[in-house]
Amino acid sequence: MEKWSLMAVAALLGLTVRWTVSLGSYSGEGKPPMYGDYEAQRHWQEVTYNLPVKHWYFNTSDNNLQYWGLDYPPLTAYHSLLCAYVAKLINPNWIALHTSRGHESPPHKLFMRATVLVADMLVYIPAVIMYCCHLRGTSTKKKIATALCILLYPGLILIDYGHFQYNSVSLGFALWGVLCLSYDLDLLGSIAFCLAINYKQMELYHSLPFFCYLLGKCFKKGLMGKGLLLLMKLGSIVVVSFALCWLPFCTEVEQILQVLRRLFPVDRGLFEDKVANIWCTLSVLIKIKTVLSFQTQFKLSFALTFLSLLPCCIKVTLQPSLKGFKYALVTCALSFFLFSFQVHEKSVLLVAIPVCLVINEIPFMSAWFLLVSTFSMLPLLLKDGLLLSYIVTTLAFLTACTTSFSIFEKTSEDDLQLKAFSISVRKYIPWFRTFPNAIKSSVSNLYKMLSHLLCISFQRGMCFVSILECSTGHHIEFLNIPPF
């Protein structure tokens, strides 16, 4: 009973941080004519409510695909339609065809933020709590600490509740899939992951570990007996799940092809904006998009992605284990993020969430990576006016990790599971002995820097309030947040 009470407290803390961040600005706020992802989500509600299903992904006089055309799988469209029905009951003007374009108002912002929170509470947060509660060989205290750290991960909070997206839905479905597989509920796990892919196509980053792990289990059971039966069941459940999700679009072949063209717009290029991957980094020195042809870029990215994820996929197929499966999720997602074609800065969340799953096993390295992943999205967060939210949520996450796992104490090569790696590297680089200390120093410096920035922001805010009080002669409540 005490465990569930503490889990509830951790969930409430996570919800409080989420809603606090949602009070801030969002992508494209007050920036016509295209605005940002907030307007994209609102526009999808407008399109799905007012147009027939066969027009959702096609360019028509009522659906200009150049203006935030729908480019996510069917489940996202259905979710937008559901939100649109609720919006219609509150204020029909929010989803009126054409006239609602670029609509911004405090009540509408409250509604849109609430849709993210409700989706989070229905899918992602229960998955996190259930996953942490059922961690094997882990104390109750550590389970609660793991849940708190995962729920306070700043990257997902800032993108969903600041920038504005629904990443928690697809990531939540994927997490339910991991949870089901950990209890040998392979069919339910497959259904959950199919829902994740059909909500957001970027969940393909996690598809190979799911496929290889389940295939390895079939091999282990024997392909001439129980293994073959399991393989047939898995294949059937995947086909049925996809068929049900895509059923309204299966009336014509052209419908299916158009949806696929919208889901995989390869003509957008190798990467977008400032992405912390190989291609964007190399472009600082070599203008890859100019030097290499489009076809060469595509083939090179495919080859490097395939080669980088191949070893872990082979291992998890030949030696299927839950621990290996979780690490394969991290490795494959990171391979896709670093080397694949058409990568967004927000795609790092697909690496970060699997890292969250192993934070109880390697807390320091996991916390370090999660901090770096959030920092990699800083240009996007600055553009959205989320610097203060970034500082506060990062400090909260780092404080939770420090107090829960004592991450600054267990930093030896054995604790970080880096001994084998370090030994192999020292054969070629004898002076390679300070890697753990360098990481520890970087995290400590980051913590100090963020604390300093927060103090400066607070001091400047107080000075500004004092100036206003002197000029107006009125006392100003510094923490008074205006209502919607």
Side-chain angles (χ1 to χ4, degrees), residues 395-415:
L395 284 173
F397 172 74
L398 188 53
T399 302
C401 291
T402 304
T403 55
S404 300
F405 295 108
S406 302
I407 59 173
F408 291 114
E409 296 177 6
K410 299 179 179 180
T411 56
S412 66
E413 290 180 350
D414 289 328
D415 291 327

Side-chain angles (χ1 to χ4, degrees), residues 102-275:
H103 179 86
E104 292 180 303
S105 66
H108 185 253
K109 178 183 176 181
L110 176 61
F111 165 73
M112 293 292 280
R113 295 299 200 190
T115 60
V116 179
L117 188 67
V118 170
D120 218 352
M121 292 172 65
L122 291 176
V123 182
Y124 181 74
I125 293 178
V128 170
I129 292 174
M130 292 299 293
Y131 172 81
C132 294
C133 284
H134 292 86
L135 284 171
R136 295 187 178 98
T138 306
S139 65
T140 299
K141 180 181 177 181
K142 206 168 184 180
K143 290 177 180 178
I144 295 164
T146 302
L148 180 62
C149 291
I150 296 176
L151 291 175
L152 289 181
Y153 168 56
L156 183 60
I157 295 173
L158 291 168
I159 294 301
D160 277 13
Y161 291 86
H163 178 81
F164 197 89
Q165 282 191 337
Y166 295 94
N167 293 288
S168 58
V169 178
S170 58
L171 293 170
F173 281 135
L175 188 50
W176 277 113
V178 173
L179 183 63
C180 290
L181 294 191
S182 66
Y183 280 87
D184 293 323
L185 301 173
D186 299 330
L187 298 183
L188 286 177
S190 299
I191 293 173
F193 187 65
C194 286
L195 293 176
I197 292 180
N198 281 290
Y199 191 89
K200 215 165 193 178
Q201 66 269 35
M202 302 311 293
E203 275 298 325
L204 289 170
Y205 281 31
H206 301 145
S207 59
L208 282 175
F210 271 89
F211 174 78
C212 293
Y213 176 72
L214 290 171
L215 183 62
K217 290 186 73 172
C218 293
F219 285 152
K220 199 172 182 179
K221 291 176 180 290
L223 285 181
M224 298 303 293
K226 293 182 178 180
L228 180 60
L229 180 61
L230 177 60
L231 185 62
M232 292 174 63
K233 287 181 179 179
L234 290 170
S236 301
I237 205 72
V238 169
V239 171
V240 171
S241 298
F242 269 81
L244 290 175
C245 290
W246 286 69
L247 189 60
F249 304 95
C250 294
T251 55
E252 299 176 12
V253 176
E254 183 57 29
Q255 276 277 342
I256 299 175
L257 294 177
Q258 176 62 12
V259 176
L260 292 175
R261 282 193 288 266
R262 293 297 300 164
L263 298 187
F264 304 102
V266 293
D267 56 327
R268 289 184 182 178
L270 191 58
F271 59 88
E272 291 189 13
D273 297 323
K274 297 177 176 64
V275 186

Side-chain angles (χ1 to χ4, degrees), residues 418-458:
L418 288 174
K419 190 169 184 178
F421 171 74
S422 298
I423 291 173
S424 62
V425 172
R426 284 180 196 134
K427 292 179 182 178
Y428 306 97
I429 310 176
W431 50 265
F432 187 82
R433 296 179 181 278
T434 59
F435 184 62
N437 292 332
I439 298 177
K440 180 179 178 180
S441 177
S442 66
V443 175
S444 299
N445 291 335
L446 177 63
Y447 186 83
K448 292 175 183 177
M449 181 189 73
L450 291 173
S451 300
H452 182 62
L453 285 173
L454 185 61
C455 290
I456 291 174
S457 300
F458 182 76

Side-chain angles (χ1 to χ4, degrees), residues 262-335:
R262 293 297 300 164
L263 298 187
F264 304 102
V266 293
D267 56 327
R268 289 184 182 178
L270 191 58
F271 59 88
E272 291 189 13
D273 297 323
K274 297 177 176 64
V275 186
N277 73 348
I278 295 297
W279 307 121
C280 188
T281 304
L282 287 177
S283 292
V284 176
L285 303 173
I286 305 170
K287 302 302 179 184
I288 297 177
K289 291 184 178 181
T290 305
V291 174
L292 301 179
S293 65
F294 180 84
Q295 291 79 8
T296 304
Q297 294 173 36
F298 186 83
K299 292 176 182 177
L300 182 61
S301 66
F302 176 81
L304 289 177
T305 305
F306 178 75
L307 291 173
S308 62
L309 56 79
L310 187 61
C312 74
C313 288
I314 293 175
K315 181 175 177 60
V316 80
T317 303
L318 299 179
Q319 300 174 351
S321 66
L322 186 60
K323 183 177 181 179
F325 169 59
K326 289 192 288 188
Y327 282 100
L329 286 171
V330 177
T331 304
C332 287
L334 188 58
S335 295

Side-chain angles (χ1 to χ4, degrees), residues 18 21-29 38 109 113 116 154-165 381 384 386 389:
R18 281 162 165 75
V21 172
S22 73
L23 298 175
S25 60
Y26 51 80
S27 171
E29 183 175 8
Y38 177 93
K109 178 183 176 181
R113 295 299 200 190
V116 179
L156 183 60
I157 295 173
L158 291 168
I159 294 301
D160 277 13
Y161 291 86
H163 178 81
F164 197 89
Q165 282 191 337
L381 300 175
D384 294 337
L386 296 169
S389 297

